[in-house]
Amino acid sequence: MGSMGILGIETSCDETAAAVVKDGTKILSNVIASSVELHQKTGGIIPEVAAREQLKCIIPVIEEALAQVSNKSKLYAIRSTLYANIDVIAVTVGPGLIGSLLVGVETAKTLAYAWKKPIVPINHLQAHLYANWLTPENKQQRTNNKVPGFPAIGLVVSGGHTDLVLMRDHGKIKWLGGTRDDAAGECFDKTARVLGLSYPGGPEIAKLAEKGLPAGKAGNPQAYDLPRPMIRQENLDFSFSGLKTAVINLKRKQKRINKANLAAGIQQAIIDVLVEKTIRAAKKHKVKSVLLAGGVAANKQLREQMTAEIQKLKSKISLFIPPPKLCTDNATYIASCAYFNFKPIPWQKIEVNPGLSIELLVTSY
Ligand code: KG4
Ligand code: ZN
C-alpha cells in the first residue's frame, strides 16, 4: 500500500474536530473547536446546544485542517482535496450524542460523494486506543520508538465510558468489563460539581489536588475515607456512582470541608480502582502491552501511578499512554483507526449509531 492520507472527522460529543493523518501514524494537522465554554455555564452538556455548535463549526474546522496541510488559503482548501492529499475520509458514527454525530456523519458522506473518496465508518471508543499509534506533531518519532504489541489490554476512560478490552489484533476486540453505572470521567465531572468546580471536572479536581487551597500545599488523598467500589471483586467491572454519593454525604455531614484534600481523595479513589483492574486484566491475559486512552488518561497521577505499577510486574509489559492532548477528544485517532481497520463502505450505507458498543466493528452492522 502506498502512502495514504486520511481526513478524520469527529463530532460525537461537544468537540468538533478534523485532522489529517498520514499512514495511520503521522499527524499532519489536528484542529479542534470545543463548545466547552458554553457547557460550563450549565455545568454539563445539553445535547441540543452541543449539536447546534457542531453545525456552526464543522465546515470551518475541516477547512482549517485541510488548509494546514495544503498551505493554501482556507477558502481554497475544501474544494481542493488534491492539495491536501486526502485519499480517504474517516468519520465517527458512534457512540455519542445523536444530534452531534449526525453533523459529522452527514458532512463526511457529502464530502465522500463530492470528492469520490472512500469513506470508513469509525467506532469512537475503539478509535480512542489508536492515539497510542500516533507520533505527536512535534516529534520525529514515537517516544520509545515502539508500536504496541498484541495481545494488549486497553483501558478506555472517558466522560461517557469506562471499558477494559482485550485487543488480539487490529479489529479483534473483546470487551472484558466496564462500568455498571457512572463512567470514570463522569465521576470526576459530577463530584467536581459537588465541590463547586467547573466543567469538565477531571482537570479541575486534578489541579485542586495538586496545587492545594490556598495554593502551595497539595491535597492529602488519605484525609477522607472514600470507597473503592468493587476493587476486591475478581471481575473486571467498575462502579463509580457510590463514590459520588459518598462525596455528597460527606459534604452534607461536615460543615467545613478541605476541598483540596477531598479532591485528592476522589482522584485517588478513582485511580486505585482503574489501576487495580487494569493490572488484573493484564496479568490474566498475559499481554504484551497495556494501552490507556480517553480523556481521563490525561490525568497526571493516573499516568504516573499506572506506570509505577506496571514496572513492578515480573512479566515485561509495555505501557502506552498518549500525550494528554491526544487523550481527549480529537480527530487524529479517528483517522489512525481507519488506516489500521481499512474497511470502506458505500457512503449511502453509513448511518449514525449512538449506542454502538466498543466491541463492534462498525462494518458489521
Ligand atoms: O475522551 P473525552 O475527551 O470525551 C469523551 O469521549 O467523553 O473525555 C472527557 C472526560 C471528562 O469527563 C473529563 O473530566 C475527563 O475526561 N478528563 C480528565 C482529565 N482531563 C479530562 N479527568 C481527570 N484528569 C484529567 N486531567
Ligand atoms: Zn472520547
Side-chain angles (χ1 to χ4, degrees):
M1 201 185 327
S3 170
M4 187 188 273
I6 304 187
L7 168 67
I9 298 174
E10 154 62 39
T11 66
S12 66
C13 192
D14 59 343
E15 267 88 23
T16 312
V20 180
V21 174
K22 198 177 138 197
D23 297 336
T25 56
K26 192 164 189 297
I27 300 171
L28 301 183
S29 67
N30 178 14
V31 178
I32 306 165
S34 172
S35 57
V36 70
E37 276 163 30
L38 270 178
H39 306 305
Q40 276 166 351
K41 292 185 196 133
T42 46
I45 296 168
I46 296 171
E48 283 302 316
V49 177
R52 269 202 298 275
E53 283 306 301
Q54 294 282 6
L55 204 48
K56 270 194 226 160
C57 298
I58 187 73
I59 298 295
V61 164
I62 293 174
E63 282 186 322
E64 180 63 33
L66 295 178
Q68 282 183 13
V69 177
S70 60
N71 289 323
K72 299 281 169 186
S73 75
K74 268 197 218 177
L75 213 91
Y76 219 41
I78 205 156
R79 280 178 256 150
S80 178
T81 53
L82 280 180
Y83 291 120
N85 295 319
I86 302 301
D87 303 302
V88 176
I89 296 163
V91 64
T92 301
V93 296
L97 303 169
I98 185 163
S100 289
L101 285 167
L102 274 167
V103 174
V105 168
E106 292 310 313
T107 307
K109 285 162 72 170
T110 307
L111 292 179
Y113 168 73
W115 294 347
K116 299 188 176 58
K117 299 287 177 190
I119 178 167
V120 182
I122 293 296
N123 180 325
H124 176 86
L125 295 174
Q126 292 183 3
H128 258 298
L129 292 163
Y130 282 88
N132 291 295
W133 271 264
L134 289 161
T135 307
E137 280 153 293
N138 51 353
K139 299 260 170 64
Q140 280 305 307
Q141 61 182 41
R142 302 176 46 77
T143 334
N144 51 10
N145 204 18
K146 271 201 307 190
V147 290
F150 296 120
I153 288 292
L155 172 69
V156 181
V157 269
S158 70
H161 297 268
T162 303
D163 287 306
L164 267 173
V165 295
L166 175 64
M167 207 173 166
R168 288 204 180 85
D169 201 344
H170 297 295
K172 290 211 170 72
I173 292 185
K174 186 173 174 238
W175 185 80
L176 300 175
T179 186
R180 297 200 180 161
D181 39 60
D182 292 352
E186 192 177 358
C187 185
F188 271 115
D189 295 339
K190 286 180 174 170
T191 52
R193 202 168 167 176
V194 177
L195 289 183
L197 303 171
S198 61
Y199 175 86
E204 294 298 315
I205 292 211
K207 217 187 298 164
L208 188 54
E210 186 177 348
K211 300 231 163 71
L213 195 73
K217 192 164 171 282
N220 171 9
Q222 263 93 48
Y224 295 102
D225 188 22
L226 295 171
R228 270 84 173 141
M230 303 182 73
I231 197 164
R232 296 283 154 241
Q233 292 182 24
E234 267 307 304
N235 60 47
L236 298 172
D237 284 342
F238 305 88
S239 164
F240 289 108
S241 69
L243 179 55
K244 174 191 65 194
T245 311
V247 172
I248 293 172
N249 289 340
L250 197 92
K251 188 120 189 298
R252 221 177 262 149
K253 272 192 232 134
Q254 300 193 14
K255 284 267 151 4
R256 294 174 61 86
I257 287 274
N258 181 313
K259 280 194 185 181
N261 286 351
L262 189 51
I266 293 164
Q267 175 173 259
Q268 194 55 51
I270 295 171
I271 291 173
D272 281 350
V273 193
L274 293 178
V275 171
E276 175 82 23
K277 299 259 167 162
T278 304
I279 300 269
R280 187 172 301 165
K283 280 187 186 161
K284 186 171 171 201
H285 294 278
K286 302 189 174 62
V287 294
K288 288 199 180 123
S289 332
V290 168
L291 319 175
L292 300 199
V296 178
N299 185 275
K300 193 172 153 220
Q301 282 300 321
L302 173 64
R303 302 164 77 91
E304 289 180 10
Q305 294 181 33
M306 188 74 83
T307 305
E309 291 307 312
I310 298 259
Q311 272 168 2
K312 277 189 209 157
L313 295 176
K314 278 191 216 90
S315 48
K316 238 180 86 47
I317 295 175
S318 308
L319 174 65
F320 292 82
I321 315 177
K325 207 181 137 196
L326 298 182
C327 288
T328 47
D329 282 352
N330 68 83
T332 61
Y333 54 71
I334 304 302
S336 175
C337 183
Y339 179 84
F340 291 105
N341 300 271
F342 190 67
K343 298 203 179 78
I345 66 172
W347 65 265
Q348 294 92 332
K349 287 197 177 156
I350 292 181
E351 286 173 10
V352 296
N353 194 341
L356 194 62
S357 95
I358 192 166
E359 269 193 336
L360 284 183
L361 256 190
V362 180
T363 39
S364 62
Y365 67 78

XYZ file of all heavy atoms in Angstrom, residues 31-112:
600
model
N -7.217 19.851 14.259
C -7.980 21.062 14.584
C -9.194 20.692 15.432
O -9.912 19.740 15.120
C -8.433 21.786 13.293
C -9.255 23.021 13.620
C -7.222 22.155 12.444
N -9.381 21.418 16.524
C -10.497 21.128 17.432
C -11.198 22.427 17.802
O -10.550 23.385 18.226
C -9.994 20.481 18.746
C -9.130 19.250 18.460
C -11.170 20.105 19.650
C -8.324 18.799 19.667
N -12.530 22.434 17.634
C -13.318 23.540 18.182
C -14.170 22.932 19.274
O -14.813 21.905 19.075
C -14.196 24.161 17.105
N -14.136 23.520 20.444
C -14.880 22.940 21.553
C -15.950 23.916 22.014
O -15.732 25.113 22.050
C -13.920 22.648 22.705
O -14.662 22.271 23.830
N -17.116 23.376 22.355
C -18.156 24.252 22.887
C -18.172 24.154 24.405
O -19.165 24.440 25.051
C -19.524 23.900 22.289
O -19.860 22.551 22.519
N -17.020 23.757 24.978
C -16.954 23.517 26.420
C -17.317 24.763 27.236
O -17.952 24.664 28.274
C -15.575 22.944 26.829
C -14.464 23.956 26.704
C -15.620 22.383 28.248
N -16.946 25.934 26.726
C -17.260 27.151 27.490
C -18.760 27.374 27.638
O -19.238 27.822 28.664
C -16.609 28.370 26.841
C -15.158 28.511 27.286
C -14.340 29.412 26.400
O -14.923 30.348 25.812
O -13.125 29.164 26.297
N -19.481 27.023 26.569
C -20.947 27.125 26.634
C -21.490 26.195 27.698
O -22.404 26.524 28.442
C -21.546 26.693 25.295
C -21.753 27.747 24.228
C -22.316 27.078 22.989
C -22.709 28.815 24.735
N -20.910 24.988 27.776
C -21.404 23.982 28.711
C -21.015 24.287 30.152
O -21.636 23.795 31.073
C -20.922 22.599 28.298
C -21.276 22.267 26.889
N -22.569 22.333 26.437
C -20.522 21.930 25.830
C -22.579 22.018 25.147
N -21.355 21.781 24.758
N -19.970 25.079 30.313
C -19.566 25.458 31.667
C -20.670 26.238 32.354
O -20.866 26.134 33.555
C -18.260 26.267 31.634
C -17.043 25.350 31.578
C -15.762 26.059 31.218
O -15.769 27.222 30.848
N -14.652 25.357 31.325
N -21.406 27.001 31.572
C -22.497 27.797 32.142
C -23.598 26.923 32.723
O -24.262 27.287 33.672
C -23.104 28.715 31.061
C -22.146 29.798 30.634
C -22.802 30.761 29.649
C -21.753 31.590 28.938
N -21.966 31.631 27.493
N -23.793 25.756 32.114
C -24.864 24.877 32.589
C -24.315 23.720 33.428
O -25.087 22.884 33.900
C -25.673 24.310 31.393
O -24.757 23.864 30.396
C -26.577 25.364 30.816
N -23.011 23.646 33.567
C -22.398 22.607 34.399
C -22.398 21.244 33.751
O -22.083 20.242 34.379
N -22.733 21.175 32.492
C -22.757 19.898 31.783
C -23.262 20.124 30.376
O -23.626 21.244 30.015
N -23.288 19.054 29.600
C -23.656 19.205 28.196
C -25.161 19.097 27.990
O -25.791 18.164 28.464
C -22.957 18.127 27.348
C -21.443 18.334 27.410
C -23.436 18.155 25.916
C -20.661 17.184 26.852
N -25.719 20.066 27.284
C -27.105 19.945 26.836
C -27.034 19.555 25.356
O -26.525 20.314 24.530
C -27.877 21.270 27.036
C -27.949 21.578 28.542
C -29.263 21.199 26.428
C -28.479 22.942 28.887
N -27.495 18.325 25.031
C -27.278 17.791 23.687
C -27.689 18.723 22.549
O -26.973 18.838 21.556
C -28.129 16.513 23.684
C -28.141 16.083 25.108
C -28.155 17.352 25.914
N -28.827 19.389 22.702
C -29.297 20.297 21.644
C -28.304 21.423 21.388
O -28.059 21.811 20.248
C -30.646 20.909 22.046
C -31.820 19.976 21.875
C -31.936 19.506 20.438
O -31.800 20.336 19.524
O -32.136 18.293 20.236
N -27.766 21.936 22.474
C -26.798 23.036 22.364
C -25.530 22.523 21.679
O -24.980 23.171 20.780
C -26.460 23.607 23.765
C -25.400 24.694 23.674
C -27.719 24.151 24.433
N -25.085 21.334 22.085
C -23.871 20.756 21.503
C -24.038 20.563 19.999
O -23.145 20.900 19.213
C -23.541 19.426 22.180
N -25.192 20.038 19.572
C -25.427 19.771 18.153
C -25.436 21.061 17.334
O -24.870 21.133 16.245
C -26.742 19.016 17.974
N -26.061 22.095 17.894
C -26.098 23.374 17.164
C -24.698 23.945 16.993
O -24.360 24.483 15.954
C -26.997 24.382 17.900
C -28.439 24.338 17.436
C -29.157 25.627 17.758
N -29.207 25.880 19.195
C -30.124 25.385 20.017
N -31.086 24.621 19.533
N -30.098 25.657 21.293
N -23.877 23.776 18.014
C -22.489 24.256 17.925
C -21.705 23.456 16.878
O -20.894 24.005 16.144
C -21.794 24.148 19.288
C -22.200 25.228 20.261
C -22.007 26.639 19.689
O -20.875 26.988 19.329
O -23.008 27.380 19.606
N -21.954 22.145 16.854
C -21.288 21.295 15.859
C -21.545 21.828 14.456
O -20.646 21.935 13.629
C -21.825 19.850 15.934
C -21.508 19.108 17.206
C -20.084 18.599 17.259
O -19.283 18.906 16.378
N -19.754 17.871 18.303
N -22.798 22.166 14.222
C -23.217 22.628 12.902
C -22.483 23.917 12.518
O -22.082 24.115 11.379
C -24.733 22.847 12.916
C -25.461 22.783 11.584
C -25.071 21.554 10.779
C -26.968 22.814 11.814
N -22.298 24.784 13.498
C -21.603 26.053 13.233
C -20.142 25.828 12.888
O -19.557 26.539 12.093
C -21.652 26.931 14.504
C -22.844 27.836 14.590
C -22.594 28.875 15.688
C -23.816 29.007 16.564
N -23.534 29.597 17.864
N -19.536 24.833 13.548
C -18.076 24.691 13.477
C -17.575 23.740 12.403
O -16.427 23.831 11.984
C -17.536 24.201 14.820
S -17.836 25.344 16.163
N -18.412 22.792 11.968
C -17.871 21.672 11.191
C -17.129 22.106 9.911
O -16.021 21.647 9.644
C -18.969 20.599 10.897
C -18.357 19.363 10.250
C -20.109 21.128 10.063
C -17.550 18.512 11.167
N -17.722 22.991 9.136
C -17.062 23.383 7.876
C -15.773 24.169 8.138
O -14.718 23.819 7.599
C -18.043 24.158 6.946
C -19.236 23.263 6.568
C -17.324 24.664 5.681
C -18.919 22.035 5.733
N -15.808 25.214 8.981
C -14.546 25.915 9.261
C -13.452 25.000 9.828
O -12.278 25.159 9.486
C -14.940 26.965 10.309
C -16.409 27.116 10.196
C -16.959 25.858 9.621
N -13.833 24.033 10.645
C -12.827 23.140 11.237
C -12.198 22.242 10.165
O -10.977 22.070 10.115
C -13.447 22.299 12.386
C -12.564 21.112 12.740
C -13.656 23.174 13.617
N -13.025 21.693 9.294
C -12.484 20.851 8.209
C -11.606 21.697 7.286
O -10.506 21.293 6.893
C -13.619 20.163 7.415
C -14.329 19.140 8.299
C -13.066 19.495 6.160
C -15.554 18.500 7.666
N -12.084 22.896 6.962
C -11.296 23.771 6.088
C -9.932 24.082 6.695
O -8.909 24.059 6.011
C -12.062 25.069 5.809
C -13.149 24.863 4.778
C -13.833 26.152 4.384
O -14.055 27.008 5.259
O -14.149 26.302 3.188
N -9.938 24.324 7.983
C -8.680 24.638 8.660
C -7.731 23.425 8.641
O -6.540 23.565 8.378
C -8.962 25.081 10.105
C -7.747 25.434 10.936
C -6.948 26.621 10.407
O -7.571 27.546 9.830
O -5.706 26.608 10.560
N -8.294 22.245 8.893
C -7.464 21.029 8.896
C -6.841 20.786 7.524
O -5.678 20.391 7.411
C -8.287 19.824 9.327
N -7.605 21.046 6.465
C -7.078 20.855 5.106
C -6.094 21.961 4.752
O -5.047 21.712 4.149
C -8.223 20.836 4.081
C -9.206 19.675 4.191
C -10.298 19.814 3.142
C -8.486 18.337 4.019
N -6.442 23.176 5.167
C -5.582 24.319 4.829
C -4.202 24.161 5.450
O -3.192 24.476 4.830
C -6.229 25.620 5.303
N -4.161 23.638 6.665
C -2.865 23.470 7.340
C -1.964 22.495 6.592
O -0.753 22.616 6.598
C -3.067 22.976 8.772
C -3.486 24.089 9.719
C -3.626 23.610 11.148
O -3.188 22.524 11.501
N -4.247 24.428 11.971
N -2.590 21.528 5.937
C -1.800 20.539 5.210
C -1.379 21.070 3.850
O -0.260 20.870 3.384
C -2.609 19.236 5.019
C -1.816 18.227 4.210
C -2.968 18.651 6.373
N -2.313 21.774 3.197
C -2.057 22.184 1.816
C -1.333 23.510 1.717
O -0.883 23.889 0.651
C -3.379 22.270 1.069
O -4.200 23.221 1.704
N -1.237 24.232 2.838
C -0.652 25.568 2.825
C -1.377 26.507 1.872
O -0.803 27.441 1.345
C 0.842 25.528 2.460
C 1.651 24.924 3.586
O 1.344 25.154 4.751
N 2.659 24.148 3.248
N -2.621 26.213 1.597
C -3.416 27.115 0.763
C -4.346 27.879 1.690
O -4.534 27.518 2.852
C -4.257 26.314 -0.243
C -3.437 25.488 -1.189
C -2.853 26.325 -2.303
C -1.820 25.507 -3.079
N -1.110 26.292 -4.073
N -4.981 28.887 1.144
C -5.909 29.635 1.984
C -7.097 28.748 2.307
O -7.433 27.826 1.579
C -6.369 30.892 1.275
O -7.304 30.541 0.287
N -7.737 29.036 3.435
C -8.904 28.268 3.866
C -9.962 28.199 2.776
O -10.583 27.179 2.547
C -9.542 28.966 5.072
C -9.046 28.480 6.390
C -10.043 28.925 7.431
C -9.314 29.335 8.679
N -10.220 29.837 9.691
N -10.167 29.314 2.119
C -11.210 29.425 1.118
C -11.056 28.373 0.033
O -12.010 27.851 -0.501
C -11.106 30.821 0.486
C -12.417 31.429 0.068
C -12.956 32.247 1.221
C -12.226 32.304 -1.149
N -9.827 28.086 -0.253
C -9.475 27.186 -1.313
C -9.565 25.735 -0.896
O -9.868 24.857 -1.678
C -8.030 27.502 -1.683
C -7.734 27.440 -3.148
C -8.651 27.945 -4.078
C -6.551 26.883 -3.606
C -8.366 27.892 -5.424
C -6.267 26.840 -4.950
C -7.177 27.341 -5.861
O -6.897 27.274 -7.174
N -9.275 25.509 0.383
C -8.967 24.165 0.848
C -10.068 23.138 0.619
O -9.817 22.056 0.113
C -8.604 24.207 2.322
N -11.285 23.475 0.991
C -12.314 22.442 0.975
C -12.656 22.011 -0.440
O -13.097 20.905 -0.674
C -13.568 22.898 1.744
C -14.332 21.667 2.249
C -14.474 23.793 0.909
C -15.196 21.943 3.446
N -12.380 22.854 -1.422
C -12.653 22.492 -2.809
C -11.508 21.697 -3.413
O -11.614 21.141 -4.478
C -12.861 23.758 -3.638
C -14.250 24.320 -3.486
C -14.394 25.582 -4.279
N -14.362 26.734 -3.384
C -13.903 27.909 -3.737
N -13.406 28.124 -4.926
N -13.935 28.897 -2.885
N -10.419 21.681 -2.726
C -9.232 21.158 -3.360
C -8.546 20.083 -2.539
O -7.547 20.311 -1.894
C -8.282 22.317 -3.619
O -7.119 21.821 -4.189
N -9.108 18.877 -2.595
C -8.511 17.777 -1.835
C -7.132 17.441 -2.357
O -6.303 16.929 -1.632
C -9.363 16.505 -1.936
O -9.574 16.236 -3.300
C -10.652 16.662 -1.214
N -6.914 17.729 -3.640
C -5.622 17.406 -4.227
C -4.490 18.024 -3.437
O -3.491 17.386 -3.128
C -5.560 17.929 -5.669
C -6.238 17.072 -6.713
C -6.082 17.724 -8.073
C -5.655 15.669 -6.706
N -4.687 19.286 -3.063
C -3.641 19.986 -2.332
C -3.406 19.350 -0.971
O -2.322 19.389 -0.434
C -4.004 21.460 -2.145
C -3.979 22.213 -3.438
C -5.108 22.833 -3.922
C -2.805 22.291 -4.171
C -5.083 23.524 -5.114
C -2.766 22.972 -5.367
C -3.905 23.590 -5.851
O -3.876 24.259 -7.019
N -4.436 18.820 -0.415
C -4.308 18.262 0.934
C -3.949 16.780 0.902
O -3.734 16.175 1.930
C -5.602 18.471 1.699
N -3.884 16.203 -0.279
C -3.551 14.785 -0.420
C -4.457 13.878 0.403
O -3.989 13.003 1.109
C -2.103 14.522 -0.009
C -1.148 15.217 -0.949
O -1.364 15.232 -2.150
N -0.115 15.836 -0.394
N -5.727 14.106 0.301
C -6.669 13.249 1.022
C -7.066 12.066 0.143
O -7.549 12.246 -0.965
C -7.947 14.036 1.417
C -7.600 15.240 2.275
C -8.948 13.126 2.136
C -6.868 14.919 3.554
N -6.843 10.870 0.630
C -7.229 9.669 -0.109
C -8.497 9.041 0.443
O -9.211 8.342 -0.265
C -6.105 8.623 -0.017
C -4.787 9.166 -0.536
O -4.750 9.589 -1.702
O -3.814 9.203 0.249
N -8.733 9.262 1.741
C -9.816 8.561 2.436
C -10.451 9.508 3.462
O -9.763 10.364 4.023
C -9.253 7.328 3.188
C -10.339 6.624 3.995
C -8.586 6.349 2.228
N -11.742 9.311 3.715
C -12.404 10.055 4.787
C -12.817 9.059 5.870
O -13.344 7.982 5.573
C -13.639 10.804 4.242
C -13.177 11.854 3.229
C -14.435 11.472 5.370
C -14.272 12.369 2.344
N -12.545 9.410 7.132
C -12.942 8.561 8.267
C -13.836 9.389 9.164
O -13.533 10.549 9.438
C -11.704 8.099 9.034
N -14.914 8.787 9.635
C -15.832 9.563 10.483
C -16.387 8.723 11.626
O -16.699 7.539 11.459
C -16.981 10.173 9.642
C -17.863 9.097 9.011
C -17.836 11.126 10.491
N -16.491 9.332 12.795
C -17.110 8.684 13.946
C -18.609 8.528 13.707
O -19.297 9.512 13.471
C -16.938 9.558 15.206
O -15.557 9.750 15.446
C -17.577 8.901 16.429
N -19.100 7.271 13.799
C -20.546 7.062 13.649
C -21.214 6.745 14.993
O -22.424 6.712 15.118
C -20.868 5.942 12.632
C -20.399 6.332 11.242
C -20.278 4.613 13.063
N -20.408 6.484 16.035
C -20.954 6.220 17.352
C -19.883 5.658 18.258
O -18.777 5.372 17.775
N -20.092 5.511 19.544
C -21.281 6.007 20.235
C -21.154 7.501 20.503
O -20.083 8.062 20.363
C -21.255 5.214 21.548
C -19.808 4.949 21.804
C -19.174 4.801 20.448
N -22.269 8.107 20.871
C -22.250 9.539 21.148
C -23.647 10.128 21.123
O -24.637 9.394 21.104
N -23.690 11.433 21.111
C -24.979 12.130 21.082
C -25.485 12.148 19.641
O -24.758 12.559 18.731
C -24.815 13.566 21.584
C -24.215 13.731 22.984
C -23.869 15.196 23.246
C -25.193 13.220 24.027
N -26.736 11.735 19.444
C -27.215 11.554 18.072
C -27.146 12.840 17.243
O -26.690 12.827 16.096
C -28.630 10.917 18.036
C -29.036 10.633 16.599
C -29.670 11.780 18.734
C -30.171 9.672 16.437
N -27.535 13.945 17.826
C -27.535 15.214 17.085
C -26.132 15.627 16.680
O -25.894 16.071 15.551
N -25.195 15.453 17.583
C -23.797 15.791 17.301
C -23.217 14.862 16.240
O -22.585 15.305 15.278
C -22.965 15.688 18.580
O -23.287 16.731 19.470
N -23.443 13.559 16.417
C -22.926 12.573 15.464
C -23.409 12.848 14.044
O -22.641 12.769 13.087
C -23.376 11.162 15.873
C -22.675 10.516 17.067
C -23.446 9.288 17.528
C -21.234 10.144 16.725
N -24.690 13.186 13.930
C -25.280 13.405 12.607
C -24.554 14.488 11.826
O -24.386 14.378 10.609
C -26.764 13.791 12.754
C -27.744 12.619 12.843
C -29.121 13.105 13.304
C -27.859 11.905 11.494
N -24.104 15.517 12.519
C -23.433 16.625 11.838
C -22.155 16.131 11.154
O -21.919 16.390 9.971
C -23.110 17.766 12.834
C -22.292 18.854 12.162
C -24.402 18.343 13.420
N -21.349 15.365 11.883
C -20.103 14.850 11.307
C -20.356 13.829 10.218
O -19.717 13.854 9.158
N -21.300 12.936 10.476
C -21.560 11.847 9.530
C -22.131 12.377 8.213
O -21.670 11.998 7.130
C -22.497 10.787 10.161
C -23.013 9.811 9.117
C -21.757 10.031 11.265
N -23.087 13.276 8.290
C -23.679 13.804 7.044
C -22.659 14.625 6.264
O -22.627 14.591 5.033
C -24.948 14.609 7.340
C -26.116 13.759 7.859
C -26.410 12.526 7.003
O -26.482 12.659 5.758
O -26.542 11.413 7.556
N -21.815 15.365 6.982
C -20.771 16.144 6.308
C -19.782 15.206 5.615
O -19.421 15.411 4.451
C -20.013 17.030 7.318
O -20.969 17.810 8.040
C -19.030 17.949 6.609
N -19.375 14.167 6.322
C -18.400 13.216 5.759
C -18.969 12.520 4.526
O -18.270 12.342 3.519
C -18.022 12.184 6.820
N -20.241 12.142 4.597
C -20.864 11.470 3.456
C -20.916 12.397 2.247
O -20.660 11.983 1.113
C -22.274 10.998 3.828
C -22.258 9.771 4.729
C -23.568 9.546 5.452
C -24.676 9.058 4.539
N -25.860 8.636 5.342
N -21.248 13.644 2.505
C -21.326 14.627 1.422
C -19.948 14.802 0.772
O -19.834 14.841 -0.458
C -21.819 15.986 1.975
O -23.027 15.761 2.690
C -22.062 16.976 0.853
N -18.920 14.900 1.588
C -17.570 15.068 1.050
C -17.134 13.825 0.264
O -16.523 13.928 -0.796
C -16.576 15.358 2.175
C -16.728 16.714 2.871
C -15.701 16.858 3.988
C -16.594 17.862 1.876
N -17.458 12.647 0.804
C -17.085 11.404 0.124
C -17.731 11.347 -1.253
O -17.102 10.944 -2.244
C -17.503 10.204 0.965
